[in-house]
Amino acid sequence: MGIVLSFCNMVTFDILRMSSTVTAGTTWWRPFRRTSKKDKKTPSPSEEPRPYLHPEYSKAKVIDLDIREIVRLPTGFEHDEWVGSTTLSFFNNINLLYGVLVHDYCNNESCPVMSAPNNVQYNWQDERGKKAKCTAPQYIEYAMTYSERQFKDETVFPTKYGQIFPSDFRSIIQRINRYFFHLLAHIYHSHFLHLTEHDLHRHLNSIFCHFMHFSVEFDLIDTKDTAVLEDLIEIMQLNCQEGSAASGAATDTDSSISGAVDPKRGSSPEQ
C-alpha cells in the first residue's frame, strides 16, 4: 500500500511543482475565460492527429515500475475499501491535471462538445432521461460534481468503524470510473499537446496506465467504453490481463456515450 500511496503522491507533487497555473484549494470548474471562436472542419477518424501515439510521447511516464503489481488487492485489505480509496486517488489526480488545462485551453468556446477520438461525442442525460449536448467543461463539471458527492456521502463511502459499503457500491464505482475515462479520453483527444508544453504528458500517461490496469484488475469498465483509445491501450500494452479481483456482481454493460446530471444519490446517472 505504501508503494501505491508514494506513486500517487509523486504524480500529485510533480503536477503542482511543474505547473504554475495550479494552486492549492483551487476549484477547476469556476467561470471560464472566453476565447475567440474558430470554425473547424471535423476530420475523419483516420485523419485525426494523434500525437499521443508517437513513441516519444507514449513511452513517457513519471516512474518506471510494474503498475500491475500495485493495483492488486493487498493482503488483509477489504475489497471495497481498496477500490474506493484508489478511485478517490484518481479523482484527486485527474482533477488536478485537468486544472492545468481549464484556465487557458479547455473552455466553453474552445471545447463546445465533450469530444474524444474517432469523432466520439459524450452527451449528458438529465434526471428525466433527456439527452442533451453540452460543452466539455459542463460535462466534466457534472461528472466530477456527481463523483465528489458520492465520495462525501457516508452511506456510500463510509469512514467510521463498523459501517458497511452499500449493496450498489460496485455500480456507483463503475459509473464514476466511466466518467474518469471520458475525461481522460477528452484530454488525450483535445489537449495532449497542451500538456506537452508543460511537460505534463508524462503524468497523464502515468495516470492513464494506473487507471487502466486498475480498471482491468477489478473489471470496472466495459471494453466498448475504452474502444475510443484502443490504439493507445494497445501501444501501452494495457489490455493484456483479465480482471482477477472483480466481485461476482454483474458488470454494468450499458455503454451509450451519454451521462446523467444527478447531484443527488438516489437517482443515479445512466449512460
Side-chain angles (χ1 to χ4, degrees), residues 1-259:
M1 180 178 177
I3 296 177
V4 177
L5 293 178
S6 298
F7 175 77
C8 293
N9 290 339
M10 180 179 297
V11 174
T12 302
F13 174 77
D14 281 356
I15 294 174
L16 284 170
R17 176 175 60 83
M18 298 179 68
S19 174
S20 60
T21 61
V22 180
T23 57
T26 298
T27 302
W28 50 255
W29 56 80
R30 64 188 186 181
F32 303 99
R33 187 172 69 186
R34 295 287 181 179
T35 57
S36 59
K37 184 180 293 185
K38 298 180 180 180
D39 294 327
K40 296 181 180 180
K41 180 180 178 181
T42 302
S44 66
S46 61
E47 297 174 337
E48 283 184 1
R50 303 187 186 190
Y52 51 82
L53 297 180
H54 193 283
E56 176 187 358
Y57 292 138
S58 64
K59 294 180 179 179
K61 300 182 182 67
V62 175
I63 190 170
D64 185 18
L65 53 80
D66 187 357
I67 298 179
R68 289 173 295 184
E69 293 296 327
I70 68 173
V71 301
R72 291 170 182 159
L73 181 66
T75 302
F77 221 94
E78 201 276 327
H79 177 278
D80 288 347
E81 184 178 355
W82 174 251
V83 171
S85 61
T86 306
T87 300
L88 177 59
S89 294
F90 287 132
F91 173 85
N92 291 329
N93 281 297
I94 293 173
N95 184 27
L96 187 61
L97 187 66
Y98 181 70
V100 177
L101 301 169
V102 69
H103 298 277
D104 297 308
Y105 307 117
C106 188
N107 52 61
N108 292 330
E109 296 293 332
S110 63
C111 299
V113 296
M114 182 63 174
S115 56
N118 298 317
N119 292 333
V120 168
Q121 295 181 6
Y122 299 116
N123 297 323
W124 199 257
Q125 180 178 318
D126 64 23
E127 63 277 6
R128 293 171 295 182
K130 182 178 180 181
K131 295 181 181 180
K133 289 184 178 181
C134 59
T135 67
Q138 288 172 331
Y139 184 100
I140 293 168
E141 177 180 356
Y142 297 152
M144 298 301 269
T145 297
Y146 167 80
S147 301
E148 186 175 31
R149 286 183 181 273
Q150 308 313 305
F151 293 133
K152 291 182 176 180
D153 189 339
E154 284 284 337
T155 65
V156 180
F157 282 80
T159 59
K160 297 179 181 179
Y161 179 77
Q163 291 181 318
I164 61 174
F165 289 87
S167 59
D168 59 346
F169 181 74
R170 177 173 170 76
S171 64
I172 293 172
I173 286 292
Q174 286 178 317
R175 198 174 305 282
I176 290 173
N177 279 275
R178 188 185 305 141
Y179 287 151
F180 290 172
F181 183 86
H182 291 177
L183 203 165
L184 291 170
H186 175 71
I187 293 177
Y188 272 111
H189 175 66
S190 301
H191 304 296
F192 184 80
L193 289 179
H194 296 147
L195 288 182
T196 64
E197 295 174 7
H198 299 276
D199 196 29
L200 288 172
H201 59 290
R202 298 182 299 113
H203 301 272
L204 173 63
N205 286 346
S206 296
I207 291 172
F208 184 68
C209 287
H210 190 187
F211 176 81
M212 286 304 304
H213 279 303
F214 175 75
S215 298
V216 170
E217 177 72 14
F218 293 95
D219 194 19
L220 298 177
I221 295 185
D222 193 277
T223 54
K224 289 182 289 186
D225 289 308
T226 61
V228 296
L229 287 176
E230 182 179 4
D231 44 9
L232 180 62
I233 291 172
E234 182 177 351
I235 287 177
M236 291 185 171
Q237 298 181 339
L238 303 178
N239 204 21
C240 56
Q241 65 175 10
E242 297 295 331
S244 60
S247 68
T251 302
D252 185 356
T253 57
D254 190 346
S255 59
S256 172
I257 50 175
S258 62

